[in-house]
Amino acid sequence: MRYSNATNYALHTVVHLMLQPDGSSVGVQELAEMQQLSPTYLSKVLTKLRKAGLIESTPGAKGGYKISRTKHEISFLDVIHAIEGDTSLFDCTIHHEGCMIENTMRQAEENMKAELASKLLVDIAKEAESKQKEES
Amino acid sequence: MRYSNATNYALHTVVHLMLQPDGSSVGVQELAEMQQLSPTYLSKVLTKLRKAGLIESTPGAKGGYKISRTKHEISFLDVIHAIEGDTSLFDCTIHHEGCMIENTMRQAEENMKAELASKLLVDIAKEAESKQKEES
DNA sequence: GTATTATAGATATTAAGAGTCTTTAATATC
DNA sequence: GATATTAAAGACTCTTAATATCTATAATAC
Ligand code: SF4
Ligand code: SF4
């Protein structure tokens, strides 16, 4: 019962891309090295992010990935959703009407998701940026 | 990324045991039939609940399971914890100090858990009870 | 003692996640 | 246009965790 590694990779990648100068692309090679994982695997993760509209990609020489135009609206939940899909933590296949067990579990999960939807990754990026400046 | 079936079984079983007359035991056979699953498998789930102190068991003839004396304090989170363990949804193995990604994820999860800790299963049982009366 | 019932251990099956390898398509540069 | 570069997609393997079954053991009531 935990989020997949892929979600972790995705979060880091998105933050990293947010820190790049406007318009510049980064190749999967570099992104993979940064997180010490295989490029082909990360590539699959990045494709999910692209399909969700969170990042953009250009193939070919000088190509790579860059953050989407919606940069300032991307939340933690957006990334999680892109990678994990929209499955529910608690998924009873029976669905008796008005079931309080399901209701309670769903409600708690909804609250968590609402909180994750309110947290923007661009804020994390800003924080990382100012931390770098402190150190230098 | 979802709770295991075992958690679902556990929740139902606990509620069911709460609905029994005080002091009476129910065998795993009956509990398994109710949920249409194998007794031996449910047995393992129930053992986890017992080890967590949520239910009590007596072997031998006329034995079985009954709800613990702490009946009125058992929360959703207690059951989840007993079955799933205390793993975290987001578990970064690196742990950079002051990491905001981890902090944000953890905080959201903590809030969900807090909510699940505040929901008592005995309230679900009461609701089920009054619903039964309506129907009869 | 006998029947009943929980417990534990070993083992098998299934499903999902994680990861690799190879091929194809798109783009830039020359 | 040829070549190098890079993303995308598909097939495939490996690993792990959940799910489930079977068998043997221990405790209890009668
Ligand atoms: S009572 Fe609720 S959780 Fe249980 S089987 Fe029915 S719908 Fe599912
Ligand atoms: S930045 Fe945070 S989430 Fe990322 S590796 Fe470091 S501790 Fe883990």
Side-chain angles (χ1 to χ4, degrees):
Chain A
M1 230 295 287
R2 58 184 217 72
Y3 284 113
S4 65
N5 294 343
T7 294
N8 194 344
Y9 301 151
L11 287 169
H12 283 85
T13 304
V14 167
V15 170
H16 187 80
L17 290 179
M18 283 178 172
L19 292 171
Q20 302 306 308
D22 266 17
S24 76
S25 284
V26 183
V28 70
Q29 197 72 33
E30 184 182 331
L31 294 168
E33 260 172 41
M34 182 185 65
Q35 301 179 63
Q36 302 190 53
L37 55 99
S38 97
T40 38
Y41 181 53
L42 182 59
S43 159
K44 292 197 183 307
V45 174
L46 297 183
T47 299
K48 282 188 181 178
L49 290 178
R50 181 186 59 76
K51 285 183 175 163
L54 305 183
I55 64 177
E56 297 168 11
S57 69
T58 47
K62 301 280 170 189
Y65 297 91
K66 54 167 162 273
I67 196 74
S68 146
R69 265 79 50 114
T70 62
K71 171 175 173 179
H72 297 278
E73 300 164 17
I74 298 175
S75 71
F76 276 76
L77 186 65
D78 290 330
V79 175
I80 293 168
H81 205 277
I83 305 298
E84 308 270 345
D86 62 350
T87 60
S88 207
L89 279 184
F90 185 81
D91 195 7
C92 176
T93 49
I94 304 182
H95 300 303
H96 290 118
E97 66 170 315
C99 165
M100 290 308 294
I101 293 180
E102 199 171 46
N103 280 1
T104 303
M105 298 289 287
R106 285 283 169 93
Q107 186 58 53
E109 185 182 356
E110 285 308 313
N111 289 349
M112 178 176 74
K113 284 189 174 171
E115 179 165 354
L116 289 171
S118 77
K119 304 286 185 183
L120 300 184
L121 278 163
V122 74
D123 293 330
I124 305 291
K126 278 179 195 158
E127 196 143 341
E129 220 163 25
S130 64
K131 213 173 251 182
Q132 274 185 326
K133 279 184 190 161
E134 271 176 40
E135 282 167 16
S136 64
Chain B
M1 231 298 286
R2 58 183 214 74
Y3 284 112
S4 64
N5 295 343
T7 293
N8 194 346
Y9 301 150
L11 288 168
H12 284 84
T13 305
V14 167
V15 170
H16 186 79
L17 290 179
M18 282 178 172
L19 292 172
Q20 301 307 308
D22 268 16
S24 77
S25 284
V26 184
V28 69
Q29 198 70 33
E30 185 181 330
L31 294 168
E33 260 172 39
M34 182 187 64
Q35 302 179 61
Q36 302 190 54
L37 55 101
S38 98
T40 39
Y41 181 54
L42 181 59
S43 158
K44 294 201 182 305
V45 174
L46 296 183
T47 299
K48 282 188 182 179
L49 290 177
R50 181 185 60 75
K51 285 183 176 165
L54 305 183
I55 64 177
E56 295 168 14
S57 70
T58 48
K62 300 281 171 188
Y65 297 90
K66 54 167 162 271
I67 195 74
S68 147
R69 264 79 47 113
T70 63
K71 172 175 174 180
H72 297 277
E73 301 164 16
I74 298 175
S75 71
F76 276 75
L77 185 64
D78 290 328
V79 175
I80 292 169
H81 204 278
I83 305 299
E84 308 269 346
D86 61 351
T87 60
S88 204
L89 278 183
F90 185 81
D91 194 6
C92 175
T93 48
I94 303 184
H95 300 303
H96 291 118
E97 65 170 316
C99 165
M100 290 309 294
I101 294 181
E102 198 171 48
N103 280 1
T104 303
M105 298 289 286
R106 285 282 171 92
Q107 186 58 52
E109 185 182 358
E110 286 308 312
N111 290 350
M112 179 177 72
K113 285 188 174 171
E115 179 165 355
L116 289 172
S118 76
K119 304 287 186 184
L120 301 184
L121 279 162
V122 74
D123 293 330
I124 305 291
K126 277 179 196 158
E127 197 143 341
E129 218 163 27
S130 65
K131 211 173 253 179
Q132 272 185 328
K133 279 183 192 159
E134 271 177 40
E135 283 167 15
S136 65

